[in-house]
Amino acid sequence: MLSAQLNDYLAEVGLTATEQQKQQLVDFVGMLNKWNKAFNLTSVRDPEQMLIRHIMDSLVVSPHLEGKRFIDVGTGPGLPGIPLAILNPDKEFVLLDSLGKRIRFQKQVQFELGINNISSIESRVEAYQPEELFDGVLSRAFASIQDMLHWCQHLPKADGCFYALKGQLSEEEMSQMPKGFVVTDTIELNVPKLEEQRHLLRVIKQD
């Protein structure tokens, strides 16, 4: 059931995946659904809705990623990092979250599904000091864009980029962009079967 829906959704947004990748994505939904009953990882309870609201909502960002090394801040159960890692085995994703139960879940996903290009780190974002900086800093359902840029400004390389996954864009939030940061792209994302607005903001730091 979920596999057939996933096939349809991927075709609708023009993304290709191998049979193994599709199986990993469906199995990830299964694990999220199972663990959610005990650990309350997401407010979405229905696996079909998880496929739309978590998997596809993450994957539509994939064509816009530039670079090899990414960090997903405030990743929760691994969103958008884990779906993006499954679809992009040539890229590396660090999943950062401050809650131990979410990190345990991510590590179990990594182990059971054999995902080799993710690493999970339990830390608050402002306290995390990476040994190597990132091509891209991802955030989904994070605080305001101002807070994201303030807390994450030490993470990207000099030519790195912030990727903020947002719902509806508020003019007020956009007008309060911190000094030294510039929005280079505002991309409208179409998620199959989702009526709500989705946007991706690409932001760079200027000297």
Side-chain angles (χ1 to χ4, degrees):
M1 176 78 175
L2 284 181
S3 297
Q5 287 172 324
L6 178 61
N7 278 332
D8 289 347
Y9 298 156
L10 288 171
E12 190 177 323
V13 297
L15 289 172
T16 53
T18 65
E19 289 309 314
Q20 182 192 7
Q21 287 169 326
K22 290 175 191 172
Q23 192 58 55
Q24 285 174 314
L25 290 165
V26 169
D27 289 346
F28 178 50
V29 172
M31 288 186 71
L32 193 52
N33 186 42
K34 181 176 150 192
W35 277 60
N36 203 35
K37 294 179 170 75
F39 292 96
N40 199 24
L41 297 167
T42 165
S43 59
V44 180
R45 299 280 174 223
D46 172 49
E48 288 183 34
Q49 284 298 312
M50 287 178 180
L51 190 62
I52 296 165
R53 292 183 166 276
H54 290 330
I55 304 302
M56 293 310 302
D57 199 39
S58 299
L59 292 182
V60 289
V61 175
S62 184
H64 306 289
L65 297 181
E66 292 174 7
K68 297 280 283 185
R69 185 172 150 78
F70 296 85
I71 183 168
D72 178 10
V73 295
T75 182
L79 298 163
I82 289 176
L84 288 172
I86 289 171
L87 206 64
N88 297 278
D90 57 326
K91 300 185 193 306
E92 180 191 338
F93 292 84
V94 171
L95 310 175
L96 190 77
D97 202 273
S98 58
L99 268 191
K101 66 178 182 179
R102 295 172 181 161
I103 298 296
R104 284 195 296 279
F105 171 71
Q106 293 166 25
K107 289 187 170 171
Q108 193 62 28
V109 168
Q110 180 177 18
F111 172 70
E112 283 190 33
L113 304 189
I115 304 170
N116 301 319
N117 56 331
I118 58 172
S119 51
S120 300
I121 292 177
E122 183 179 342
S123 172
R124 294 183 64 82
V125 63
E126 58 270 34
Y128 175 58
Q129 296 295 333
E131 289 175 18
E132 187 188 342
L133 297 177
F134 297 91
D135 296 311
V137 179
L138 290 153
S139 79
R140 174 182 183 264
F142 201 70
S144 69
I145 186 108
Q146 292 88 341
D147 285 345
M148 177 206 176
L149 296 173
H150 176 66
W151 287 331
C152 303
Q153 59 183 321
H154 61 296
L155 297 175
K157 295 176 179 172
D159 59 349
C161 179
F162 296 90
Y163 297 84
L165 287 69
K166 307 292 286 184
Q168 202 164 353
L169 292 181
S170 107
E171 280 185 29
E172 184 186 2
E173 190 179 357
M174 295 295 287
S175 68
Q176 292 172 356
M177 192 64 59
K179 204 170 175 203
F181 293 94
V182 178
V183 178
T184 58
D185 299 278
T186 304
I187 300 157
E188 202 167 318
L189 300 171
N190 289 314
V191 181
K193 297 277 183 281
L194 195 64
E195 298 297 311
E196 300 147 35
Q197 288 187 10
R198 288 289 186 271
H199 293 89
L200 173 65
L201 299 180
R202 284 204 294 208
V203 182
I204 58 168
K205 210 167 157 181
Q206 285 195 327
D207 296 334

